[in-house]
């Protein structure tokens, strides 16, 4: 049987994937990865292409009424001969449409915005974890008591505390006690604070040299935890097979992610709006095919990061109408295209095109780094706190001196009268 002279193809037209333009003579000019694939097939088999698009702009999902949506629904109803849009082969879809031979294999991953920088104002607190800071504070408050009890010193707690705190800042101790017990205790304390001081200084220098970023979500387990805590959103294409996979999963955490997507309607028709405006940020991820994500977000200038983790791998093929006449001839052409590596070439060509577009729009930087007031805010804040405490101490001494002298004078006159 001869291949039909005209074939109706159901597809969602998307930039870089299926691009449709009309030439002056009325013929369609196909571009993008799958557009070029379709163009190669049509030229080889000698047929004209008519592109039809579903009104719901979905790939294809089984609805609650038992009918299929999107391009799969169009093929089921006979509104197209075959469909293409990185369609994954699933058992559920295979019950209503036929599939051609596989022309590529792709996995599902997610892309997320790069984490924002941690403010440098309090960089002095970053070298140690809060638990370590708390432990060191407890140690600093307890050590004066240990010194007083073991060495029987005649110093006040405040005076001894200030001396031990000064030793942390590499100041000398003035504790006069030459006993062996005193030497052992002082030596162990000096070694302890010296090691802590060196570790803090080394870590602080590294933190000040390299800008710190907030914790990044790297895999699906961390994404699930973030979604469960309400810190993240996970967007998918409407009608994408990954949503059905998540909802039908026997694993509780994956099913929870699918239910969260469905409940909150985290659907987006476009992977990326232009190159500067996107729903993707550090609190919002997009789940989709790795090939598609690499094309749009794989450049070095991109402000997004593609996870190396994979949720599931899919065989990608064309969805054919059950009554399509020439599946065997179509499979032969697809097998030759795959063997020749043409589809991979289409992917690389489109990736280079996107990289070129991004590089021409990337802003130029002079590479000069300047220190701003906000970078020194932490040091300035500590300095102000020190000045305030010093002023309060001075004020307290002045008030104590005045009232103390007056109290002593009153006591002297009273005793003299007696």
């Amino acid at each position: 049987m001869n291949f039909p002279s005209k074939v109706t193809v159901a597809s969602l037209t998307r930039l870089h994937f299926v691009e449709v333009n009309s030439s002056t003579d009325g013929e369609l000019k196909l571009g993008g990865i799958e557009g070029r694939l379709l163009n190669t097939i049509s030229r080889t088999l000698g047929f004209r292409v008519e592109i039809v698009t579903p009104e719901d702009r979905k790939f294809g999902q089984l609805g609650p009424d038992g009918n299929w949506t999107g391009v799969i629904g169009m093929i089921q109803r006979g509104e197209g001969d075959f469909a293409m849009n990185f369609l994954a082969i699933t058992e559920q879809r295979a019950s209503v449409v036929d599939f051609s031979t596989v022309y590529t294999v792709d996995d599902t991953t997610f892309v997320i915005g790069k984490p924002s920088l941690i403010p440098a104002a309090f960089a002095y607190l970053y070298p140690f974890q809060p638990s370590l800071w708390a432990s060191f504070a407890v140690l600093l408050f307890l050590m004066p008591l240990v010194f007083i009890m073991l060495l029987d010193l005649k110093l006040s707690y405040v005076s001894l505390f200030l001396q031990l705190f000064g030793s942390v800042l590499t100041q000398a101790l003035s504790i006069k006690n030459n006993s062996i017990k005193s030497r052992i205790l002082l030596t162990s304390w000096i070694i302890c604070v010296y090691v802590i001081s060196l570790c803090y200084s080394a870590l602080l220098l590294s933190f000040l040299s390299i800008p710190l970023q907030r914790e990044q979500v790297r895999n699906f387990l961390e994404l699930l935890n973030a979604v469960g805590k309400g810190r993240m959103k996970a967007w998918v294409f409407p009608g994408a097979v990954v949503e059905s996979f998540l909802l039908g999963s026997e694993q509780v955490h994956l099913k929870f992610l699918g239910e969260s997507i469905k409940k909150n309607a985290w659907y987006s028709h476009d992977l990326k709006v232009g190159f500067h405006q996107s729903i993707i940020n550090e609190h919002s991820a997009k789940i989709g095919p790795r090939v598609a994500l690499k094309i749009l977000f794989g450049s070095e200038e991109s402000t997004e990061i593609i996870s190396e983790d994979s949720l599931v791998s899919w065989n990608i093929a064309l969805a054919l109408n059950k009554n399509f006449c020439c599946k065997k001839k179509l499979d032969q052409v697809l097998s030759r295209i795959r063997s020749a590596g043409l589809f991979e070439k289409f992917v690389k060509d489109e990736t280079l095109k996107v990289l070129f577009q991004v590089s021409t729009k990337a802003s130029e930087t002079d590479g000069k780094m300047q220190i701003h007031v906000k970078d020194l805010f932490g040091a300035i804040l500590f300095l102000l706190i020190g000045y305030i405490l010093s002023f309060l101490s001075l004020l307290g001494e002045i008030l104590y001196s005045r009232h103390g002298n007056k109290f002593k004078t009153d006591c002297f006159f009273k005793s003299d009268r007696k």
Side-chain angles (χ1 to χ4, degrees):
M1 181 180 294
N2 294 329
F3 208 90
S5 59
K6 180 181 177 182
V7 173
T8 302
V9 179
S11 176
L12 299 177
T13 56
R14 294 184 298 155
L15 185 65
H16 306 303
F17 299 97
V18 180
E19 302 175 8
V20 180
N21 299 300
S22 298
S23 60
T24 54
D25 55 1
E27 292 186 3
L28 292 181
K29 295 178 65 176
L30 301 175
I33 299 173
E34 290 189 305
R36 294 179 65 185
L37 173 66
L38 179 58
N39 191 50
T40 303
I41 297 172
S42 64
R43 288 186 177 183
T44 303
L45 295 175
F47 62 85
R48 293 185 296 106
V49 176
E50 179 186 359
I51 301 292
V52 292
T53 303
E55 295 181 358
D56 56 12
R57 301 286 300 175
K58 294 183 178 180
F59 294 98
Q61 215 173 25
L62 183 61
D65 56 354
N67 296 319
W68 282 81
T69 62
V71 294
I72 297 295
M74 295 186 72
I75 300 303
Q76 180 195 22
R77 295 188 297 269
E79 298 174 10
D81 296 308
F82 65 81
M84 65 188 315
N85 267 131
F86 274 87
L87 298 175
I89 299 177
T90 64
E91 183 178 357
Q92 196 177 42
R93 287 177 173 179
S95 63
V96 294
V97 298
D98 286 336
F99 282 97
S100 68
T101 186
V102 175
Y103 60 85
T104 190
V105 177
D106 197 15
D107 62 316
T108 297
T109 185
F110 67 90
V111 61
I112 189 172
K114 290 182 179 179
S116 59
L117 297 179
I118 298 177
F122 299 99
Y124 296 94
L125 301 177
Y126 299 152
F128 293 159
Q129 293 288 336
S131 57
L132 185 57
W133 280 117
S135 301
F136 184 67
V138 171
L139 178 65
L140 192 60
F141 278 101
L142 291 179
M143 284 306 296
L145 298 176
V146 175
F147 272 81
I148 292 173
M149 290 187 296
L150 294 182
L151 303 182
D152 193 22
L153 298 174
K154 302 303 181 182
L155 299 173
S156 65
Y157 175 87
V158 175
S159 176
L160 195 56
F161 173 82
L162 292 176
Q163 286 199 48
L164 294 179
F165 181 74
S167 66
V168 178
L169 304 178
T170 66
Q171 293 183 3
L173 287 170
S174 60
I175 299 176
K176 297 179 180 180
N177 192 319
N178 295 325
S179 64
I180 297 178
K181 185 189 300 183
S182 172
R183 292 178 181 178
I184 294 175
L185 191 58
L186 287 175
T187 301
S188 61
W189 172 254
I190 291 173
I191 293 175
C192 175
V193 297
Y194 183 69
V195 171
I196 293 176
S197 178
L198 286 180
C199 294
Y200 176 81
S201 300
L203 290 173
L204 179 62
L205 288 175
S206 64
F207 285 164
L208 292 176
S209 301
I210 302 175
L212 296 177
Q213 292 182 333
R214 301 185 187 277
E215 187 177 355
Q216 176 189 334
V217 175
R218 299 181 181 275
N219 51 53
F220 274 97
L221 182 59
E222 294 178 358
L223 178 63
L224 290 168
N225 292 333
V227 170
K229 295 177 181 179
R231 297 189 292 107
M232 288 282 300
K233 295 180 180 180
W235 299 81
V236 298
F237 286 114
V241 67
V242 65
E243 183 185 1
S244 301
F245 171 78
L246 292 171
L247 290 172
S249 176
E250 296 180 356
Q251 300 183 38
V252 178
H253 56 287
L254 293 181
K255 191 169 185 178
F256 168 77
L257 178 59
E259 291 174 348
S260 299
I261 293 172
K262 185 175 182 180
K263 177 182 177 181
N264 297 286
W266 289 335
Y267 304 116
S268 66
H269 289 277
D270 296 322
L271 250 175
K272 192 173 183 182
V273 183
F275 286 93
H276 302 286
Q277 182 184 4
S278 173
I279 62 169
I280 301 172
N281 51 57
E282 63 177 320
H283 301 296
S284 182
K286 182 66 180 279
I287 303 175
R290 185 177 296 276
V291 169
L293 298 182
K294 276 189 174 182
I295 289 175
L296 295 178
F297 305 100
S299 66
E300 295 181 358
E301 294 84 1
S302 177
T303 57
E304 294 82 17
I305 299 175
I306 301 173
S307 173
E308 297 182 359
D309 194 19
S310 297
L311 179 64
V312 62
S313 294
W314 305 100
N315 290 322
I316 308 300
L318 304 179
L320 311 178
N321 186 279
K322 289 283 188 179
N323 299 320
F324 186 66
C325 63
C326 308
K327 179 180 181 300
K328 186 175 180 180
K329 290 184 178 181
L330 185 60
D331 286 345
Q332 288 177 350
V333 174
L334 284 172
S335 297
R336 293 171 186 172
I337 290 174
R338 182 176 182 180
S339 300
L342 289 179
F343 186 79
E344 286 72 18
K345 182 182 183 302
F346 299 153
V347 173
K348 290 180 180 179
D349 291 345
E350 203 64 32
T351 303
L352 290 175
K353 183 192 299 184
V354 175
L355 288 176
F356 177 75
Q357 293 175 352
V358 173
S359 61
T360 55
K361 295 182 180 182
S363 59
E364 296 182 359
T365 57
D366 55 5
K368 296 180 180 179
M369 300 294 290
Q370 296 179 339
I371 297 179
H372 302 278
V373 175
K374 63 180 181 180
D375 298 324
L376 300 176
F377 178 76
I380 295 174
L381 179 62
F382 287 134
L383 179 63
L384 292 176
I385 292 175
Y387 283 156
I388 292 173
L389 292 177
S390 299
F391 176 76
L392 293 177
S393 299
L394 176 62
L395 185 63
E397 290 180 0
I398 294 173
L399 294 176
Y400 177 79
S401 176
R402 290 181 178 178
H403 291 285
N405 291 334
K406 183 178 180 182
F407 178 75
K408 290 180 180 179
T409 304
D410 293 342
C411 291
F412 174 77
F413 283 117
K414 287 181 181 180
S415 60
D416 187 55
R417 288 172 185 172
K418 291 180 180 179

